[in-house]
Amino acid sequence: MSPTADVRAQILEANRQAAEALRTRFLQEKTLVVNLISSPGSGKTTLLEATLARLSGKLKTAVLVGDIATERDADRIRKLGLPAYQILTGGACHLDARQVQGALEKAGFGALDILFIENVGNLICPTSYDLGEDFKVVLLSLTEGDDKPFKYPAIFARASVALLTKVDLLGIVDFDVEAVERQIRTLNPHGEILRVSAKTGEGMEAWCRKLEHALVAKRA
Amino acid sequence: MHETSIALEILKTSETVLAQHGGSRILRVKVAVGELSAVEPELLRYAWEAVTVGGPAEGSRLEVDFLPARQFCPTCGPVARAPGAWVPLCLSCGAPLLVEGGNELDLVQVEFEVDGEKP
């Protein structure tokens, strides 16, 4: 019998420590941090554009964007005159806490009210990585189909807010909103579900209020 | 495929454990993976083969203990189901089910060889 060592260590321990350091920093700086996770094309950047437009003038915001290639998404935010920094992951399908640490040093955003992290577009890999955020938000657009929560349960179980996006397409695409909401509640009974359309503005008020309340709660 | 990043983290910790115990070669590593951890055991084993090449864990076995998540009905109690099959509502009373566990992602055990003390 060869010697064995019983370990019981979290596999993502190094990431957990980096995320803890980020959490402490965000608490000291009193910055609310929101990690947006979804499939490509579900409307993360469009939602951010609409959100930032509503919050600008009231709150100081910035965006960290993770993508495998191109600065396109960060450029879209910069066009609004707001700070954004693009993290190119070089092929990796998710952001990790050490990448966020490095990006924050380079970005030099200064004091912020809300930092948005737009994660690499997929419903699987980003789920496993704590980035020191206050909460995860999962986006599901109406064009993706109404079976996704049960097909990708992990992210729906861990995100404290689920945004059903592109609800202006209700009635145009086959999507049973109530069935999806039931699936999400099964996976996460305490999570919040909001129906939004960045295009028509539906639900944007409630979403922005949710962010402002979370910021106030963090600073209380 | 984030299983590669995860395999690299397992390797790093396993090599630290090996060094702490004065071992020379890793033979077997056991990990616990929860059903909701978003990690696919088969892909993790492929990734392990790839990341261990040329190091002290080359040729070692990655043993994956896959742990299911449990579903509960708030009124009727635990629900039996096939792994991976998510039932939205309780089959007895129709209430939305709650979920517990399945988030594990842990390194459990490292089996190794010490030079000069081969079995």
Side-chain angles (χ1 to χ4, degrees):
Chain A
M1 185 70 192
S2 312
T4 57
D6 290 327
V7 187
R8 267 296 157 199
Q10 284 186 36
I11 289 169
L12 296 177
E13 178 59 21
N15 186 76
R16 195 194 61 76
Q17 283 176 16
E20 232 20 81
L22 281 170
R23 212 182 305 284
T24 305
R25 167 186 178 158
F26 294 142
L27 195 63
Q28 282 164 352
E29 294 174 355
K30 298 185 189 302
T31 302
L32 181 78
V33 182
V34 180
N35 184 2
L36 300 173
I37 297 174
S38 78
S39 307
S42 63
K44 288 187 293 299
T45 313
T46 305
L47 176 91
L48 276 174
E49 288 169 332
T51 305
L52 298 172
R54 278 163 192 269
L55 298 178
S56 89
K58 276 199 268 183
L59 296 175
K60 200 162 179 318
T61 57
V63 184
L64 282 183
V65 191
D67 268 316
I68 287 168
T70 83
E71 293 254 344
R72 291 182 68 144
D73 286 355
D75 282 340
R76 283 173 60 181
I77 306 298
R78 289 186 197 116
K79 276 204 186 106
L80 299 171
L82 294 167
Y85 185 86
Q86 184 82 44
I87 303 171
L88 292 176
T89 64
C93 51
H94 57 86
L95 291 175
D96 68 34
R98 285 163 289 191
Q99 283 174 317
V100 171
Q101 284 176 322
L104 284 175
E105 299 320 319
K106 287 184 202 141
F109 287 143
L112 292 176
D113 295 310
I114 305 182
L115 172 68
F116 293 96
I117 302 175
E118 184 181 341
N119 220 312
V120 181
N122 81 71
L123 288 170
I124 310 166
C125 311
T127 308
S128 306
Y129 289 82
D130 182 357
L131 303 180
E133 74 271 5
D134 289 280
F135 56 90
K136 291 178 173 57
V137 175
V138 62
L139 283 72
L140 175 63
S141 61
L142 263 61
T143 49
E144 290 169 72
D146 51 21
D147 52 356
K148 292 301 172 292
F150 281 160
K151 287 173 86 169
Y152 301 92
I155 184 56
F156 287 92
R158 289 184 195 178
S160 45
V161 181
L163 295 180
L164 299 181
T165 62
K166 308 187 190 180
V167 291
D168 50 285
L169 295 176
L170 252 178
I172 298 171
V173 295
D174 273 337
F175 190 96
D176 186 340
V177 180
E178 282 79 22
V180 164
E181 290 180 345
R182 269 200 307 278
Q183 288 178 46
I184 296 172
R185 283 205 192 90
T186 304
L187 296 166
N188 186 351
H190 309 296
E192 216 173 312
I193 305 171
L194 296 171
R195 302 178 184 185
V196 298
S197 165
K199 194 172 166 187
T200 63
E202 183 183 345
M204 290 302 295
E205 200 54 50
W207 159 239
C208 290
R209 232 182 5 251
K210 155 88 200 159
L211 292 169
E212 286 170 320
H213 286 169
L215 179 63
V216 170
K218 184 164 188 173
R219 291 180 171 176
Chain B
M1 169 154 138
H2 69 314
E3 278 78 3
T4 309
S5 324
I6 288 170
L8 279 169
E9 295 291 340
I10 299 171
L11 181 61
K12 231 184 285 172
T13 313
S14 304
E15 286 180 347
T16 308
V17 170
L18 185 72
Q20 280 165 354
H21 289 79
S24 53
R25 208 161 75 85
I26 293 170
L27 301 175
R28 182 180 59 91
V29 172
K30 186 177 169 182
V31 296
V33 171
E35 182 179 357
L36 297 179
S37 68
V39 171
E40 171 54 46
E42 204 49 39
L43 290 179
L44 189 60
R45 279 189 285 261
Y46 287 145
W48 181 252
E49 275 181 37
V51 303
T52 51
V53 169
E58 181 164 353
S60 66
R61 186 157 61 90
L62 185 72
E63 203 176 292
V64 181
D65 197 3
F66 194 66
L67 304 170
R70 293 169 300 279
Q71 283 193 293
F72 288 84
C73 172
T75 43
C76 311
V79 173
R81 63 181 181 88
W86 289 92
V87 192
L89 301 172
C90 178
L91 297 173
S92 315
C93 76
L97 298 174
L98 310 181
V99 183
E100 215 174 70
N103 287 315
E104 300 82 359
L105 193 54
D106 299 321
L107 177 58
V108 178
Q109 206 177 53
V110 180
E111 185 179 339
F112 53 92
E113 205 172 74
V114 180
D115 266 346
E117 289 175 26
K118 285 179 187 170

